[in-house]
Amino acid sequence: MRVLLVGAGGVGTAVTRIAARRPFFELMVVADHDPARAEAAVGALGADGGRFWAERVDAGDEAQVTALLERHGCDVLLNATDPRFVMPLFRAARAGGAAYLDMAMSLSRPHGERPYEECGVKLGDEQFARAAEWEEAGLLALVGMGVEPGLSDVFARYAADELFDEIEEIGVRDGANLTVDGYDFAPSFSIWTTIEECLNPPVVYEKDRGWYTTEPFSEPEVFDFPEGIGPVECVNVEHEEVLLVPRWVDARRVTFKYGLGREFTDTLRTLHLLGLDRTEPVTVPGPDGPVRVSPRDVVAACLPDPATLGDRMHGKTCAGTWVRGTKDGAPREVYLYHVVDNQWSMAEYGCQAVVWQTAVNPVVALELLATGAWSGAGVLGPEAFPAGPFLDLLTEYGSPWGLREQ
């Protein structure tokens, strides 16, 4: 397997450090718009970096990405950029005859008149619209293969196959007790992506109703997370699992709730009130005259890079899938989860917990594709594949998962 990894930020760098320990691939080309970042990611691998190569690429330039795939003979493109670049990279992979993996799907657009009741363009709609094209070409686009979406979807598949006869509800629940020394507000993941998923209308799925939307941060509930994290208030946010799981898993209801905390949600609401969550450029004065700049990019530039926070970060992060239904005629309720301790991920890989937890899952998926344990064609989510091989390999990577009866 020859892999083109696009994006050498926190998650992309973590991908290289995890993959360097595995023998399943021949070459991984690490490409970024900033060649220094790509070179730094490869250089940090030291003696383990022999199968890695740094390149510069503009993720929005499809022809440039396709040429890079062809020049290095890559048969897989792994997208580790933010969601703005999903579609150009998705199209470039198809043009280059390569398989495609991402960790976030094509962007949504709210309904023009009823944004908090009806869906407009849903997450992933643009990709699923091209599913037949990929299937006819015999190529696989494995979408939403990070931790959430990704591992959470694998948990949903495992629950349906192994733990339940009928499923009433699948609810992804994400929470953490992470703190960052020296910062009152320092998101542990891309603020661009965080704003996108938290301020867009959340989507809920009900079998008798289909997909519909609600107000941001709606339906608060307190969920008790395992391994010492404890109770965290979780609220509805927009997330891919709600759009993916019902396509392959039979459940009456699917939700996603994020444990953000009141201070975090208040900050996001303030950004929205001020228009600082907008992506459309505005004109501001500059030293050489007016310049056009995206308010959301300004917010990102003012905050610390999440990849650099590991040394100041303490605590654990938990991603998991809560499932309620019946087994052998009796009610059952479980929480399948994956916890990463920041102290462990920093000591073992030099990566903070959230980016490491995101990065390990596409590497596991790549290895399953390389060995043939997973295979397919078309635009498929993680729940389209058997869960057992993934969960076994994740444990082999030294990061076991857990199951708690509720």
Side-chain angles (χ1 to χ4, degrees), residues 181-201:
D181 292 341
Y183 290 99
D184 293 326
F185 184 77
S188 57
F189 204 69
S190 161
I191 188 62
W192 203 100
T193 304
T194 301
I195 288 173
E196 185 71 19
E197 65 189 23
C198 291
L199 292 179
N200 279 352

Side-chain angles (χ1 to χ4, degrees), residues 117-247:
E117 298 173 43
E118 297 182 27
C119 296
V121 176
K122 301 186 299 299
L123 291 169
D125 274 358
E126 290 185 77
Q127 290 171 287
F128 282 118
R130 294 172 171 258
E133 174 188 326
W134 282 77
E135 192 169 359
E136 289 167 7
L139 292 171
L140 172 64
L142 174 49
V143 295
M145 192 60 255
V147 60
E148 292 172 345
L151 179 56
S152 50
D153 303 76
V154 173
F155 284 149
R157 174 82 272 161
Y158 181 81
D161 290 347
E162 305 292 339
L163 305 179
F164 291 85
D165 296 324
E166 292 186 348
I167 293 176
E168 189 69 28
E169 182 168 356
I170 294 174
V172 180
R173 299 294 184 266
D174 178 297
N177 61 359
L178 296 169
T179 59
V180 181
D181 292 341
Y183 290 99
D184 293 326
F185 184 77
S188 57
F189 204 69
S190 161
I191 188 62
W192 203 100
T193 304
T194 301
I195 288 173
E196 185 71 19
E197 65 189 23
C198 291
L199 292 179
N200 279 352
V203 180
V204 175
Y205 172 83
E206 292 181 359
K207 192 171 186 178
D208 296 334
R209 183 176 175 182
W211 286 294
Y212 65 93
T213 56
T214 70
E215 295 271 357
F217 313 126
S218 59
E219 299 179 1
E221 67 175 62
V222 175
F223 192 86
D224 187 19
F225 289 91
E227 299 195 20
I229 295 173
V232 180
E233 184 181 79
C234 298
V235 293
N236 280 325
V237 302
E238 181 189 50
H239 232 256
E240 286 89 344
E241 291 94 326
V242 180
L243 289 313
L244 285 170
V245 169
R247 296 174 186 269

Side-chain angles (χ1 to χ4, degrees), residues 80-114:
T81 64
D82 74 53
R84 288 174 290 183
F85 299 103
V86 163
M87 287 311 295
L89 292 174
F90 178 79
R91 290 190 293 259
R94 172 67 189 85
Y100 170 87
L101 275 78
D102 63 30
M103 292 165 265
M105 296 175 66
S106 60
L107 292 170
S108 65
R109 291 191 295 277
H111 191 278
E113 297 174 357
R114 296 158 60 91

